[in-house]
């Protein structure tokens, strides 16, 4: 009998979203998800520590539950994920109403930790990081929600130690999951109606490199592409230094692999890239992009970048701007550099003042907004393949989905058609600020009349 309620708030990246789904599944026999923390018997906050702001958000979010705990002491409050790993015991000292602290590798011990708390042996803090950690296979349970797309973590941790980044310290060393587990998990998702899967890792290109007898990432993609009933494959994040010719060819050749690559550049200046310990120069990055575009014409590229890294001069920054103009990314995620505990760059002396960082971020946004808009406008009048995710959250009369190139498309279609989960053609009519808009043309596959198989 599921009598209790669980509320999970997830901060941070897709890997945290994946972990939150695992935690829901782990306690799924006992707890039903609920929408508001006030109604919950178990509150979990799955945290991110990648930038200072993200960490501050966690403290203010968890702090709010102090009065709730005073009113209902039986409510269990847990902090999980990357801040949990980084701060450990300090969390229960600073926030005494917290019962549970689980690092990303320890989320699988949630049932055991809850049992301890039940027996009055809390607070429980589990932050052990193992080199050879192997996450168990826990298929998600969607409670009848039937999602069209899902994410699957294929590897944990990171070995790259970019000098600004906390991830290797909070997620531990890189470990790849066995290919059989990955394939089994995706098959199980497809049986539940999932048509698109995103393979996740901090650096998916180095999948299987440390393990004996594992396929390479390109080979894994080809194996996943064999799964019947799966229509689209995406993956993130790719590290530019490990982007192989073989992987580029696989994107070109495997029909199910979508024409979109998230390839974080971080900076356009080779001098800054070296200090970031990224392992490539501006020229090498541009050469890979050129080769990729040769093999996969029309591929959409997105990126992450950091402004105001210690020692970044005005001329380094100009190189980031010229790189944006040269590559013409479809979209970028840009951040002001912030010091992170344990990351090497916190000790670099030539820090960039906050107002300079803010001005550079603003400039980056301005340049990119124009490029993104121009790219979106180039879709007008074209026919785009869209996987329909369902009604739009803000306007239920409109359907929403994404192109293969990962642009959001909102479109109208005849009401009598049941299109959720279908692959359709949409005629693009307008390019809005955040999405493309269009009109339904025809069904390619799936509900509403198309064939169901590959
Ligand atoms: N593994 C991925 C990124 C993980 S973190 C990769 O290698 O690209 C997501 C993004 O956060 C990074 O790409 C970077 O742009 C940003 N980031 C990480 N640490 C940061 C810091 N200390 N300050 C500002 N941005 C940071
Ligand atoms: Fe962080 Fe670099 Fe690893 Fe990405 S590759 S998670 S930026 S250390
Ligand atoms: Fe944040 Fe941890 Fe992901 S630090 S970005 S949640 S790996």
């Amino acid at each position: 009998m599921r009598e209790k309620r669980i509320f999970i708030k997830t901060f941070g990246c897709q890997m945290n979203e994946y972990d939150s789904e695992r935690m829901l599944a782990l306690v799924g026999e006992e707890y039903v998800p609920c929408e508001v923390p006030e109604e919950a018997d178990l509150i979990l906050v799955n945290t991110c520590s990648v930038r200072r702001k993200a960490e501050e958000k966690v403290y203010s979010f968890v702090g709010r539950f102090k009065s709730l705990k005073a009113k209902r002491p039986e409510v269990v409050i847990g902090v999980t994920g990357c801040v949990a790993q980084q701060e450990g015991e300090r969390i229960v000292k600073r926030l005494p109403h917290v019962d549970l602290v689980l690092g990303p590798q320890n989320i699988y011990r949630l049932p055991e930790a809850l049992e301890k708390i039940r027996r009055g042996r809390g607070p429980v803090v589990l932050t052990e990081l193992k080199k050879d950690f192997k996450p168990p296979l826990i298929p998600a349970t969607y409670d009848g929600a039937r999602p069209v797309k899902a994410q699957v973590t294929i590897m944990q941790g990171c070995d790259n130690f970019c000098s600004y980044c906390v991830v290797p310290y909070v997620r531990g060393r890189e470990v790849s999951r066995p290919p059989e587990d990955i394939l089994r998990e995706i098959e199980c998702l497809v049986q539940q109606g999932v048509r698109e899967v995103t393979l996740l890792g901090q650096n998916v290109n180095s999948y299987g490199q440390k393990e004996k007898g594992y396929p390479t990432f390109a080979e894994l993609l080809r194996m996943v592409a064999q799964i019947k009933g799966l229509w689209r494959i995406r993956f993130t994040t790719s590290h530019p230094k490990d982007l192989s010719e073989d992987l580029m060819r696989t994107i070109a050749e495997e029909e199910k692999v979508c024409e979109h690559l998230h390839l974080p550049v971080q900076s356009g200046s080779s001098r800054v890239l070296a200090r970031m310990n990224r392992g490539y120069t501006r020229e090498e990055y541009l050469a890979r992009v050129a080769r990729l575009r040769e093999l996969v014409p029309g591929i959409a590229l997105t990126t992450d970048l950091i402004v105001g890294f210690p020692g970044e001069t005005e001329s380094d920054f100009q190189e980031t701007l010229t790189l944006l103009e040269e590559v013409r990314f479809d979209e970028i995620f840009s951040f002001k550099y912030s010091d992170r505990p344990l990351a090497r760059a916190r000790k670099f002396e030539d820090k960039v003042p906050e107002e300079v960082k803010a001005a550079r971020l603003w400039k980056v946004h301005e340049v990119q907004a124009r490029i993104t808009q121009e790219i979106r406008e180039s879709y007008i009048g074209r026919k785009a393949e869209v996987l329909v995710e369902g009604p739009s959250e803000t306007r239920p009369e409109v359907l929403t989905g994404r192109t293969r190139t990962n642009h959001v498309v909102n479109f109208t279609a005849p009401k009598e058609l049941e299109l959720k989960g279908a692959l359709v053609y949409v005629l693009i009519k307008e390019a809005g600020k955040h999405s493309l808009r269009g009109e339904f043309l025809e069904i390619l596959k799936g509900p509403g009349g198309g064939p169901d198989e590959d």
Side-chain angles (χ1 to χ4, degrees), residues 146-197:
R146 294 189 68 83
V148 174
K149 53 182 196 177
Q151 327 191 98
V152 172
T153 294
I154 63 164
M155 58 202 299
Q156 298 257 349
C158 184
D159 287 355
N160 287 315
F161 293 94
C162 301
S163 62
Y164 51 80
C165 187
V166 72
V167 171
Y169 304 98
V170 290
R171 288 264 165 181
R173 291 293 62 71
E174 215 167 87
V175 192
S176 299
R177 293 180 65 199
E180 317 74 81
D181 280 16
I182 297 168
L183 295 172
R184 206 143 43 97
E185 194 169 314
I186 300 172
E187 276 158 4
C188 172
L189 289 166
V190 171
Q191 275 160 21
Q192 295 183 65
V194 166
R195 296 303 195 185
E196 175 183 307
V197 74

Side-chain angles (χ1 to χ4, degrees), residues 35 55 89 115 124 127 141 143 152 162 217 224 238 271 301 310 313 326 341 354 368 386 395 409 432 448 453:
E35 300 289 323
E55 188 180 333
E89 295 277 352
E115 187 51 39
V124 177
T127 52
T141 47
D143 262 320
V152 172
C162 301
F217 180 59
V224 174
S238 299
R271 199 183 69 86
L301 293 174
T313 61
E326 261 180 70
E354 202 48 42
Q368 185 58 39
V386 173
R395 293 174 58 202
V409 177
E453 262 315 303

Side-chain angles (χ1 to χ4, degrees), residues 435-446:
S435 60
L436 299 169
R437 284 182 220 122
E439 266 170 29
F440 166 78
L441 284 177
E442 61 177 304
I443 299 175
L444 290 166
K445 281 183 195 174

Side-chain angles (χ1 to χ4, degrees), residues 266-301:
Q266 313 297 1
S267 167
S269 152
S270 296
R271 199 183 69 86
V272 173
L273 287 170
R275 284 164 54 92
M276 286 177 163
N277 192 32
R278 287 292 287 177
Y280 55 87
T281 61
R282 172 194 178 98
E283 291 68 33
E284 282 161 349
Y285 185 91
L286 291 174
R288 299 241 156 115
V289 166
R291 179 68 183 141
L292 185 63
R293 283 185 164 153
E294 220 169 82
L295 290 170
V296 195
I299 189 168
L301 293 174

Side-chain angles (χ1 to χ4, degrees), residues 18 25 43 47 69 80 89 96 121 128 159 171 174 238 247 260 273 419 421 433 436:
Y18 178 86
I43 298 174
T47 62
K69 182 79 175 175
T80 62
E89 295 277 352
R121 302 204 347 247
E128 189 190 358
D159 287 355
R171 288 264 165 181
E174 215 167 87
S238 299
L247 177 55
H260 164 230
L273 287 170
L419 291 178
K433 258 208 146 35
L436 299 169

